Amino acid sequence: MTRFALRGILGRKLRTVLTAVAVVLGVAMVSGTFVLTDSIAKAFDAIFTEQYRGTDAVVTGKSAFDLSNNNNTSDLPSFDESLLEKVRGLPDVRAALGGVAAQAHLIGRDGKAIVFGGAPNLGFSVDPSQPAFNSLSLVDGGWPKGSEVVVDRSTASKKHLRVGDMIGVQAQGPVVRFRISGLVKFGAVSTIGGATLAGFDLASAQSLFDKQGKLDDIRLAGKSGVSPEKLVAEVQKILPRGTQVRSGSSQATKDAKDTNSFITFLQTFLLAFGGIALFVGSFVIANSLSITIAQRMREFATLRTLGASRRQVLASVIVEALAMGVVASLIGLFLGLALAKGLFRLFNAVGFTLPNNGLTFETRTIVVALVVGIVITLLASLRPAFRATRVPPIAAVREGAVLPPGRFARFRVVGAIATAALGFAALLLGLFGHGLGTKGVLGLMGLGALLIFIGVALFASRLVRPLAVVANPVARWAVFVLSVLAWPLFTLPFWLLRLGAWGPGGAGKRTLAFIGGAVLNPLLLVVVLISILRKAMTRWNPEWPAEFPGVLADHSATSVGSENSQRNPQRTASTAAALMIGLALVTLVATLAAGIIKPFEDAVNKIFTSDYAITAQNNFDPIPVSAARAAASTPGIDAIASVRGGEGFVSFDDGGVRPSGSTAQVTAVDPSIGRVITIDWKNGSNAVFAALGANGAFVDDGYAKKHKLSIGSPIALLTPKGDTLHLVLKGIFKPPTGGSPFGAITISSSAFDAHYDQPQNLFTFVAMRGGVTDANTAALTSALKSFPNAKAATRDQFVKNQTSFLKNILNILYVLLALSVVVSLFGIVNTLVLTVFERTREIGMLRAIGLTRRQTRQMIRHESVITALIGAVLGIVLGLVLGALLTARVKEIVFVVPVTQLIVFTIASIFVGIVAAIFPARRAARLNPLEALHYE
């Protein structure tokens, strides 16, 4: 039976290949995800290993609490550089090197900051006199001295920088000009992503970063025979308050902690999409095998007649599925390498440039990808396999026999409703349950979504007939319109390519292609006009096409296509379910994105009552306080105020910070902020801004309710460098749904500057006389000329800039979800191909009584589009329902129907149906009527 099963696969190559595509794409996503994340992890490991090369111990500043650095505004405190000499004087220290580091934006020849997406712009001190600690390799020029800088080779290549060029650098103050003394690369890493590197001598770096007399770290190497642990213990004895020491390996692990969390998240995130593709693929596999088994009923019946047992028939089907799963998984495994490269480029295109030191192909990747692909294929084949065992031997001699229904078929509707209900219950529990934890919530939500999709897919067969009736006229006109619009687009390039490939060589090819295009264009125009005329005449007189002998009416062909989609509702539902899942997730993503963007826009329009906002070029980095001071000198300024950002550890008593406190985002405002923004006060007024002083604070009402705060409540705020501020609550405001520019606790900018090292602004709001005008924009831009990393934006530009990051995320999600749509496309293709095989005699009969080839293609195309529309309707409705549930749980998101996107998704579904029908329709149209009538 094994040999028989394998020969059966070889005898159905086309059907096997189309079925296997779903497995190939899903496994490729799993394999590509592991290759991508393993490659990123390896690159980061190399970066952190190189960074602490030759280092036995590292002294750094110590924050009074763990920093999350969510807004890139919190760094470890610096310490006095006098500690360096004390460390060098220790008996077991062989060498020690002090350094500083901060953000440093290189300024290109166009006067703009050089940024590559969201990658960091790193500046640091270098000391070539101690090469043992140096992780940089000089590839051209020399090390920096005085007003010189070394930049990384990658940035230099992209921006055409050379040794000897002058370049601007912006850090804590205005742009400073440096001469490029050399080009460097970081260790053995081939690329560090989109990060820019700028190295200076220590004195220049301290001046540039406003850290005169300060250090950020000291790297130590112990004498021979001294262990890192002993060196750490020795250094620990002389450390002042606000500093800490770790071994080099421990410091590398600590630095890599956030990176490893990101990689784990990215891996889980991408694997989820691989799982979605495989889940959709399981529908395609099960549906394809079910159709194939139904078509091979007489074959299985013959085997049963010849003595094959039900177990042997079952084994033969499983062997077929196993062989297909193994081959498809192997192909998908290695296709994942190409997909990983594509994902690197995708992330790079949307600004998430990631480090890469070559693709990493781990044994775990091979094992997991193969096991997942093979197991999914086998599971999807079980139901069709068991159906094959129920074929009665008498079916071998009976014309038109059908598979008997399963013993549980009568419970299908009840089971589908129960499954969907259980899924919604799990989803609601995950969304609204308490004390579940992140993993519990995500697990319940994932299980709930899975059960909902299965339940709706099982129940969809009951919806096929009414949906097909509704979709029929839509499909008819959609196919006509898209055919008219797309025919020239698709046919002309096809002919030109064909002429270019097989026509005369050289110039003759090009000449023939141009001549062909010149001839085909008017011909295609005539064809389009005739098509429009035929459609108009059909609408006026339905019997008009029948006046031509031997030709069936066009509406008859489309009617047959509509009836074919209803002939086997279960098959149509299974095919549409694959597309339904992809479109439901795409609709869900679009709904959530609209629900985030709309309230944010409303919040900005409500709060942002000034004319301009000053932000970083990449929209989220902090900007120096001195940039706002420069903007304040702009002629025509009516009011200007900034919002600073940082972190603090908060508790609510008079005796200082309790261990039970929590870390919170802290913002600070200028006293004049009420002149450029408007907020809705629950307790207080705009006078609170000017009254904050050294110990005032205000919070939003949600934070006040959570911590039971009221006007006059004491708040203890611990800063990263260990200062404790005893604050009094002076105001409570009500933020709009879309959020506000303020953190959990907001204090005055004077208090913030006194207790936070190197304060930086998140936003600066500006009101100008005359409002937004070209002259005011030019004046403000000119005032910021010395701060190229800062930009002035109007309210509309500010909204667009702040939502661009979300839209980039959205584009990534659409691309990843498109994989499941591609899988469903192949599912429709496969179903149509199989139904063409199944209806060969029927098509031959229709051709014999007058169905033309064009009408045959139209019939198959119409059936495909109806199936796609059914999947689109089910998917969009289900996506909106899931979106409504999620937005009901998250108060920061409102339910918004993304009408434009839904129209696009519907048109895309029709397009998928048309594309999916191209090959099956051509195959059906080429059938010889006489041969088809004799087909078995």
Side-chain angles (χ1 to χ4, degrees):
M1 291 299 289
T2 300
R3 184 178 299 177
F4 170 79
L6 296 178
R7 285 182 177 176
I9 292 178
L10 295 177
R12 295 180 297 277
K13 298 182 183 68
L14 176 62
R15 284 173 272 187
T16 302
V17 169
L18 291 174
T19 305
V21 166
V23 184
V24 170
L25 294 177
V27 172
M29 189 65 194
V30 173
S31 172
T33 294
F34 280 123
V35 171
L36 174 75
T37 52
D38 288 343
S39 301
I40 296 171
K42 185 178 179 181
F44 272 119
D45 287 344
I47 288 173
F48 291 120
T49 300
E50 288 288 340
Q51 184 175 357
Y52 295 104
R53 185 181 63 177
T55 301
D56 294 323
V58 182
V59 176
T60 63
K62 182 180 181 180
S63 173
F65 53 89
D66 291 335
L67 299 172
S68 65
N69 202 21
N70 287 334
N71 291 322
N72 297 327
T73 55
S74 300
D75 294 314
L76 292 175
S78 302
F79 52 87
D80 196 278
E81 66 178 346
S82 61
L83 180 60
L84 177 60
E85 292 305 319
K86 295 179 182 179
V87 170
R88 284 175 174 168
L90 294 174
D92 289 326
V93 174
R94 175 173 57 84
L97 173 66
V100 294
Q103 283 199 9
H105 291 87
L106 298 172
I107 310 303
R109 291 191 177 94
D110 57 358
K112 297 181 179 179
I114 298 175
V115 292
F116 302 107
N121 306 99
L122 305 175
F124 43 82
S125 60
V126 294
D127 188 349
S129 66
Q130 299 199 53
F133 295 112
N134 197 349
S135 55
L136 299 177
S137 301
L138 196 63
V139 296
D140 192 13
W143 295 107
K145 298 177 182 178
S147 298
E148 293 181 335
V149 61
V150 291
V151 300
D152 62 285
R153 179 175 57 181
S154 175
T155 300
S157 174
K158 293 174 183 176
K159 295 298 179 179
H160 309 292
L161 303 175
R162 296 186 300 271
V163 173
D165 289 352
M166 297 298 293
I167 189 170
V169 180
Q170 182 195 327
Q172 284 299 306
V175 172
V176 180
R177 303 290 292 177
F178 288 87
R179 175 185 172 275
I180 299 177
S181 66
L183 306 180
V184 296
K185 74 169 188 172
F186 189 89
V189 181
S190 58
T191 172
I192 54 173
T196 64
L197 304 181
F200 316 86
D201 65 20
L202 180 60
S204 298
Q206 288 174 320
S207 175
L208 187 67
F209 303 145
D210 195 19
K211 295 182 179 180
Q212 292 90 341
K214 300 287 186 179
L215 294 176
D216 290 324
D217 64 63
I218 299 175
R219 302 185 191 186
L220 299 86
K223 292 181 179 178
S224 178
V226 177
S227 67
E229 292 75 17
K230 182 179 179 183
L231 188 63
V232 167
E234 187 173 320
V235 174
Q236 184 72 51
K237 297 176 182 178
I238 66 165
L239 290 184
R241 177 178 175 269
T243 58
Q244 60 189 343
V245 61
R246 294 188 181 93
S247 65
S249 59
S250 297
Q251 187 65 42
T253 302
K254 178 70 171 58
D255 291 351
K257 182 179 179 181
D258 291 340
T259 300
N260 291 335
S261 299
F262 162 73
I263 293 172
T264 301
F265 166 77
L266 181 64
Q267 186 177 83
T268 305
F269 175 76
L270 293 176
L271 283 176
F273 288 94
I276 291 169
L278 284 170
F279 181 56
V280 173
S282 67
F283 280 87
V284 175
I285 296 166
N287 197 37
S288 300
L289 289 177
S290 294
I291 298 172
T292 303
I293 286 168
Q295 294 173 354
R296 297 166 58 196
M297 187 173 60
R298 296 183 70 181
E299 173 188 327
F300 288 128
T302 302
L303 289 175
R304 293 293 307 280
T305 303
L306 295 176
S309 65
R310 295 183 63 177
R311 180 178 296 179
Q312 287 176 310
V313 173
L314 175 66
S316 70
V317 177
I318 290 180
V319 166
E320 289 185 25
L322 179 62
M324 181 179 64
V326 170
V327 175
S329 299
L330 285 171
I331 295 172
L333 174 66
F334 292 102
L335 184 62
L337 293 170
L339 184 60
K341 288 186 176 181
L343 289 172
F344 267 117
R345 293 180 180 178
L346 171 64
F347 285 117
N348 185 45
V350 297
F352 298 100
T353 307
L354 298 167
N356 183 10
N357 203 24
L359 297 181
T360 302
F361 203 39
E362 301 283 354
T363 304
R364 181 257 287 124
T365 302
I366 300 173
V367 173
V368 173
L370 291 179
V371 168
V372 167
I374 293 170
V375 169
I376 290 292
T377 306
L378 288 177
L379 290 176
S381 69
L382 287 180
R383 180 176 175 273
F386 280 112
R387 289 192 71 195
T389 64
R390 295 199 297 269
V391 175
I394 193 64
V397 296
R398 191 169 60 196
E399 183 73 24
V402 295
L403 283 172
R407 69 182 73 175
F408 301 110
R410 63 184 182 276
F411 302 115
R412 183 182 187 88
V413 174
V414 175
I417 295 174
T419 302
L422 186 61
F424 277 110
L427 184 63
L428 291 172
L429 179 61
L431 288 174
F432 299 99
H434 298 287
L436 296 173
T438 303
K439 290 184 178 179
V441 170
L442 293 177
L444 283 171
M445 289 176 62
L447 176 62
L450 183 69
L451 292 175
I452 290 170
F453 286 137
I454 293 174
V456 173
L458 291 173
F459 187 75
S461 60
R462 295 282 179 167
L463 305 174
V464 166
R465 287 191 171 92
L467 288 176
V469 171
V470 175
N472 185 36
V474 177
R476 183 177 300 173
W477 281 104
V479 169
F480 169 71
V481 172
L482 288 179
S483 298
V484 169
L485 296 177
W487 197 358
L489 181 65
F490 286 109
T491 307
L492 187 58
F494 171 78
W495 280 104
L496 292 178
L497 286 173
R498 187 171 182 179
L499 291 171
W502 292 290
K509 280 188 177 182
R510 293 188 292 273
T511 302
L512 188 59
F514 281 121
I515 293 174
V519 173
L520 283 174
N521 267 319
L523 289 179
L524 288 173
L525 180 61
V526 171
V527 170
V528 169
L529 292 175
I530 291 174
S531 297
I532 296 174
L533 179 62
R534 286 174 59 84
K535 178 61 68 175
M537 292 300 294
T538 302
R539 294 286 293 175
W540 181 259
N541 178 15
E543 301 300 325
W544 177 75
E547 296 174 6
F548 298 92
V551 180
L552 288 179
D554 282 348
H555 64 83
S556 298
T558 55
S559 297
V560 173
S562 176
E563 291 170 2
N564 286 337
S565 63
Q566 302 175 53
R567 179 184 301 180
N568 192 327
Q570 183 54 52
R571 178 186 302 174
T572 303
S574 297
T575 306
L579 184 60
M580 173 197 74
I581 296 168
L583 282 178
L585 294 173
V586 170
T587 302
L588 172 62
V589 169
T591 302
L592 293 180
I596 294 172
I597 293 174
K598 181 63 167 61
F600 175 77
E601 292 175 344
D602 293 341
V604 171
N605 290 329
K606 187 175 182 180
I607 293 175
F608 187 166
T609 53
S610 52
D611 302 314
Y612 296 92
I614 299 174
T615 63
Q617 288 289 346
N618 63 5
N619 305 314
F620 56 83
D621 273 349
I623 52 179
V625 173
S626 51
R629 297 194 189 106
S633 64
T634 306
I637 285 282
D638 191 38
I640 183 170
S642 301
V643 179
R644 306 201 199 336
E647 290 184 67
F649 192 85
V650 184
S651 69
F652 308 98
D653 67 337
D654 292 319
V657 175
R658 299 193 304 258
S660 60
S662 60
T663 302
Q665 289 296 311
V666 177
T667 48
V669 295
D670 295 331
S672 60
I673 190 86
R675 298 176 60 190
V676 291
I677 66 170
T678 300
I679 60 176
D680 184 10
W681 290 99
K682 180 179 180 180
N683 300 106
S685 66
N686 278 5
V688 170
F689 295 131
L692 291 175
N695 68 341
F698 67 86
V699 301
D700 64 69
D701 63 341
Y703 194 80
K705 289 177 181 177
K706 180 179 179 181
H707 297 285
K708 300 178 181 179
L709 301 178
S710 59
I711 299 300
S713 293
I715 301 174
L717 173 65
L718 180 67
T719 69
K721 65 179 185 179
D723 297 342
T724 299
L725 284 70
H726 297 285
L727 307 171
V728 176
L729 186 63
K730 296 189 175 182
I732 300 173
F733 75 101
K734 295 186 288 185
T737 303
S740 76
F742 305 122
I745 293 179
T746 303
I747 61 177
S748 69
S749 56
S750 58
F752 189 91
D753 294 352
H755 297 280
Y756 281 79
D757 287 341
Q758 296 193 321
Q760 298 188 88
N761 290 333
L762 299 176
F763 312 104
T764 297
F765 299 100
V766 182
M768 301 191 72
R769 288 188 292 276
V772 176
T773 64
D774 291 342
N776 283 342
T777 302
L780 194 55
T781 302
S782 177
L784 292 171
K785 189 174 182 180
S786 296
F787 296 87
N789 188 43
K791 64 180 179 183
T794 64
R795 185 184 308 171
D796 291 340
Q797 291 170 340
F798 178 78
V799 170
K800 183 179 179 181
N801 293 338
Q802 295 299 309
T803 57
S804 61
F805 178 78
L806 176 62
K807 290 177 179 177
N808 285 337
I809 297 285
L810 194 63
N811 291 334
I812 291 177
L813 293 175
Y814 283 154
V815 171
L816 295 175
L817 286 171
L819 185 64
S820 63
V821 176
V822 170
V823 173
S824 63
L825 183 148
F826 278 96
I828 297 175
V829 172
N830 205 9
T831 300
L832 291 174
V833 168
L834 293 172
T835 55
V836 168
F837 279 114
E838 186 177 63
R839 302 203 304 266
T840 298
R841 295 180 67 182
E842 174 190 322
I843 294 171
M845 187 176 296
L846 288 172
R847 290 293 311 280
I849 63 174
L851 193 71
T852 66
R853 287 190 172 188
R854 184 182 66 83
Q855 290 175 317
T856 303
R857 291 193 296 269
Q858 185 179 2
M859 176 184 69
I860 300 298
R861 190 186 304 123
H862 197 74
E863 179 181 353
S864 177
V865 172
I866 287 178
T867 302
L869 281 172
I870 292 172
V873 171
L874 292 174
I876 289 173
V877 171
L878 188 54
L880 290 174
V881 170
L882 294 176
L885 291 175
L886 287 173
T887 53
R889 175 64 177 86
V890 184
K891 66 177 182 179
E892 291 80 9
I893 305 177
V894 299
F895 179 68
V896 178
V897 178
V899 177
T900 303
Q901 287 92 328
L902 296 186
I903 293 173
V904 171
F905 297 158
T906 304
I907 295 174
S909 301
I910 295 171
F911 184 75
V912 165
I914 292 175
V915 171
I918 291 174
F919 174 71
R922 289 172 61 87
R923 186 180 185 88
R926 288 200 303 266
L927 288 175
N928 185 303
L930 294 179
E931 293 179 359
L933 289 172
H934 291 86
Y935 180 81
E936 284 292 337

